[in-house]
């Protein structure tokens, strides 16, 4: 019950905010017709955009907006012009009818189901606005004895309705695209982490299979030698390990579905680089470092291996950020070299000593320690090496006190199609 009250209050607050913004926005206006207070303002634009941005009880919003707009205009007129409250009320009553009719039209057409169909949404809202404007003009005819039913006037209403409707749809589509890109980037980042884990989970499954076979061999040997109790214990251990493998297989199957290509489609290399730069720029800012990113590519194509590429490039870029003390530059470049796509990641951090260059891709290697002096897991670069090997590629590293460069070469066909 308490949650429902909170939701109700939040909704009412939102509706009153729409009404207030609409009333104020409607004062930014033009009056295209002579001898009438009819206006084209920003009010309907604000009302429509607000109802798109957040789920809104449109009929309730229309009623409250009609009332607030009328009260607002009457108050403004009364304080600035020599006119009675009653006369001002009847002057602006048709505007209240417009917002009420506009809300009814939007509700009946169920515009939220067309939020991802901008052309249809724009046309339906333009129809709603024209209908509401005609209703407002009818009210003005009855209240103010104003007659405007001319083809020229109708065409003006139609043109303005189309312009305003598609203007709002354009703004909303831009917001929607930005949100979708953000969700895609988050999904790709999660997918890249899961993708790496599937490689090591599969590797663990192979080890489990080997241990299970060894346990079963031990059982047979002990049985032949007459060690019944020991042989049964060995068999029990082999069976338990086999159960662990089956659990791992179920987990592997579930994760594989999440990171499968059908879940993410394919994206262009340029877009992938944008995600890497954006995510790691935020990481560098979080660490309080001033790092300049230089992105360069002379080829661009759709890739089916964006998850693997995102995982390995994020790892190398994050390592580069951590290697830079306070200020530095990280350069990521992609170019074509015969049948291979070559990717380089360079930084001007503290570098890697020459005697460590040969072991940095070994599992367990690390130079990172937490505040308590405990070493990190040291599996980052081994992840990178495993990912590149899976793509039939190679990786090399060069480093001195001024610069570190990782160079990756992967067959272009593999990156484009995902076929290794």
């Amino acid at each position: 019950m308490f949650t429902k009250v909170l939701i109700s209050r939040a909704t009412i607050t939102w509706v009153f905010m729409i009404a207030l913004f609409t009333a104020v926005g409607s004062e930014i206006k033009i009056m295209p017709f002579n001898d009438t207070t009819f206006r084209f303002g920003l009010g309907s634009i604000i009302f429509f955009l607000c109802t798109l941005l957040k789920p809104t009880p449109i009929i309730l919003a229309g009623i409250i907006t009609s009332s607030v707009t009328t009260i607002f205009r009457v108050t403004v007129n009364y304080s600035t012009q020599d006119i009675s409250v009653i006369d001002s009320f009847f002057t602006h009553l048709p505007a209240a009818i417009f917002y009420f009719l506009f809300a009814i039209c939007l509700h009946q057409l169920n515009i939220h189901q067309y939020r991802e169909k901008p052309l249809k949404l724009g046309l339906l809202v333009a129809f709603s606005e024209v209908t509401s404007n005609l209703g407002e003009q009818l009210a003005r005819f009855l209240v103010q004895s104003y007659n405007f039913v001319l083809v020229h006037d109708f065409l003006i209403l139609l043109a303005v309705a189309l312009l305003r409707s598609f203007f709002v749809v354009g703004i909303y589509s831009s917001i929607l695209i930005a949100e979708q890109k953000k969700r895609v980037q988050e999904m790709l980042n999660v997918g890249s982490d899961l993708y790496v884990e599937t490689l090591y989970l599969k590797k663990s499954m192979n080890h489990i299979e080997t241990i299970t076979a060894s346990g079963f061999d031990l059982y047979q040997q002990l049985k032949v030698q007459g060690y019944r109790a020991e042989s049964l214990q060995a068999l029990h251990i082999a069976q338990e390990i086999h159960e662990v493998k089956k659990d791992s297989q179920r987990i592997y199957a579930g994760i594989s579905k999440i990171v499968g290509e059908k879940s993410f489609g394919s994206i262009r290399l340029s877009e992938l680089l944008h995600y890497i730069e954006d995510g790691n720029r935020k990481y560098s800012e979080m660490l309080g470092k001033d790092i300049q990113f230089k992105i360069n590519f002379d080829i661009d194509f759709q890739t089916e291996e964006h998850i693997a590429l995102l995982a390995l490039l994020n790892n190398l870029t994050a390592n580069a950020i951590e290697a830079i003390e306070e200020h530095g530059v990280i350069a990521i470049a992609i170019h074509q070299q015969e049948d291979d796509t070559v990717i380089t990641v360079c930084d001007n951090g503290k570098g890697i000593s020459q005697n460590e260059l040969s072991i940095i891709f070994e599992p367990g290697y690390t130079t990172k320690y937490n505040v308590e002096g405990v070493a990190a897991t040291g599996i980052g670069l081994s992840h990178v090496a495993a990912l590149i090997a899976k793509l039939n590629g190679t990786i090399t590293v060069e480093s001195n006190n001024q610069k570190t460069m990782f160079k990756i070469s992967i067959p272009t066909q593999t990156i484009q199609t995902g076929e290794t």
Side-chain angles (χ1 to χ4, degrees):
M1 178 66 70
F2 184 66
T3 302
K4 289 183 179 180
V5 172
L6 286 178
I7 293 175
S8 176
R9 286 178 179 174
T11 301
I12 292 175
T13 301
W14 173 243
V15 168
F16 272 99
M17 287 177 63
I18 292 175
L20 182 60
F21 292 153
T22 301
V24 175
S26 66
E27 293 303 306
I28 304 173
K29 60 189 182 294
I30 60 172
M31 295 183 174
F33 306 124
N34 297 325
D35 302 324
T36 177
T37 56
F38 179 83
R39 66 180 74 185
F40 287 131
L42 294 182
S44 62
I45 292 178
I46 294 172
F47 183 85
F48 174 38
L49 181 60
C50 289
T51 56
L52 277 180
L53 292 176
K54 188 175 180 179
T56 305
I58 296 180
I59 297 296
L60 176 62
I63 293 172
I64 294 178
T65 299
S66 300
S67 303
V68 171
T69 301
T70 304
I71 294 171
F72 182 81
R73 293 185 184 182
V74 169
T75 303
V76 171
N77 276 13
Y78 182 76
S79 60
T80 60
Q81 299 179 21
D82 185 16
I83 185 174
S84 68
V85 173
I86 299 299
D87 290 340
S88 181
F89 173 78
F90 281 106
T91 298
H92 296 293
L93 180 61
I97 294 174
F98 166 82
Y99 286 110
F100 180 66
L101 292 176
F102 192 48
I104 291 177
C105 289
L106 295 182
H107 176 74
Q108 291 298 321
L109 293 173
N110 195 12
I111 60 167
H112 283 276
Q113 67 178 323
Y114 304 110
R115 287 192 296 181
E116 296 184 3
K117 299 176 181 178
L119 178 59
K120 195 167 186 178
L121 177 61
L123 291 175
L124 288 175
V125 174
F127 168 79
S128 301
E129 184 167 337
V130 170
T131 302
S132 304
N133 276 325
L134 290 175
E136 179 182 354
Q137 291 306 307
L138 178 60
R140 292 189 186 281
F141 173 75
L142 297 174
V143 174
Q144 302 172 355
S145 300
Y146 168 69
N147 185 12
F148 91 108
V149 186
L150 299 172
V151 174
H152 175 263
D153 298 328
F154 178 79
L155 291 177
I156 290 177
L157 288 179
L158 180 60
V160 172
L162 288 170
L163 180 63
R164 293 202 294 194
S165 299
F166 281 101
F167 174 73
V168 175
V169 170
I171 294 176
Y172 177 73
S173 297
S174 299
I175 297 172
L176 195 63
I177 289 171
E179 291 179 348
Q180 287 175 341
K181 282 188 175 182
K182 184 178 179 181
R183 286 196 297 268
V184 168
Q185 184 171 357
E186 292 173 350
M187 184 173 63
L188 285 173
N189 286 330
V190 172
S192 66
D193 292 339
L194 291 176
Y195 181 81
V196 173
E197 296 307 318
T198 60
L199 295 181
Y200 280 83
L201 184 57
K202 190 172 183 180
K203 183 179 179 181
S204 297
M205 287 163 53
N206 292 334
H207 287 167
I208 291 172
E209 183 64 31
T210 301
I211 295 171
T212 303
S214 298
F216 188 75
D217 289 340
L218 178 61
Y219 156 73
Q220 289 183 318
Q221 292 174 17
L222 292 173
K223 182 179 179 181
V224 170
Q225 295 175 13
Y227 297 102
R228 176 176 175 77
E230 290 80 358
S231 66
L232 290 175
Q233 186 176 3
L235 179 61
H236 177 70
I237 292 172
Q239 290 172 337
E240 290 297 321
I241 294 174
H242 185 67
E243 288 300 315
V244 172
K245 181 192 175 183
K246 289 195 292 185
D247 290 338
S248 298
Q249 286 176 327
R250 286 190 286 269
I251 296 171
Y252 177 79
I255 296 177
S256 296
K257 288 181 180 179
I258 295 174
V259 300
E261 60 182 11
K262 291 183 179 179
S263 300
F264 298 94
S266 61
I267 65 175
R268 301 192 71 81
L269 288 179
S270 55
E271 189 175 0
L272 182 70
L273 290 174
H274 167 74
Y275 291 144
I276 293 167
E277 179 185 4
D278 185 57
N280 285 283
R281 187 184 302 281
K282 293 175 182 176
Y283 180 51
S284 66
E285 291 172 354
M286 184 188 73
L287 296 180
K289 298 183 179 182
D290 179 21
I291 297 178
Q292 179 183 0
F293 290 85
K294 294 184 177 180
I295 307 297
N296 183 37
F297 54 93
D298 54 23
I299 56 171
D300 193 16
F301 52 77
Q302 295 283 129
T303 173
E304 296 288 341
E305 290 291 349
H306 47 282
I307 299 297
L309 291 175
L310 186 66
L312 66 92
L313 286 176
N314 266 339
N315 195 297
L316 293 177
T317 307
N319 285 348
I321 292 171
E322 292 162 2
I324 294 173
E325 295 294 339
E326 295 181 4
H327 310 278
V329 178
I330 296 176
I332 304 174
I334 300 180
H335 65 274
Q336 186 78 28
Q337 186 176 338
E338 296 181 351
D339 294 332
D340 292 339
T341 295
V342 178
I343 307 171
T344 57
V345 179
C346 303
D347 70 80
N348 59 351
K350 58 188 177 182
I352 304 170
S353 64
Q354 294 299 312
N355 59 348
E356 291 182 322
L357 286 177
S358 60
I359 61 172
I360 62 173
F361 295 110
E362 296 295 328
Y365 168 81
T366 184
T367 59
K368 304 172 188 175
Y369 298 86
N370 63 17
V371 292
E372 297 175 350
V374 179
T377 56
I379 58 175
L381 289 177
S382 65
H383 277 184
V384 171
L387 287 167
I388 294 171
K390 188 174 184 294
L391 297 173
N392 291 339
T394 60
I395 181 170
T396 58
V397 59
E398 299 175 5
S399 184
N400 54 40
N401 292 331
Q402 297 179 336
K403 175 180 162 184
T404 298
M405 181 180 74
F406 287 88
K407 181 178 179 180
I408 302 166
S409 296
I410 303 173
T412 301
Q413 181 70 16
T414 300
I415 295 178
Q416 287 179 326
T417 64
E419 297 178 0
T420 58

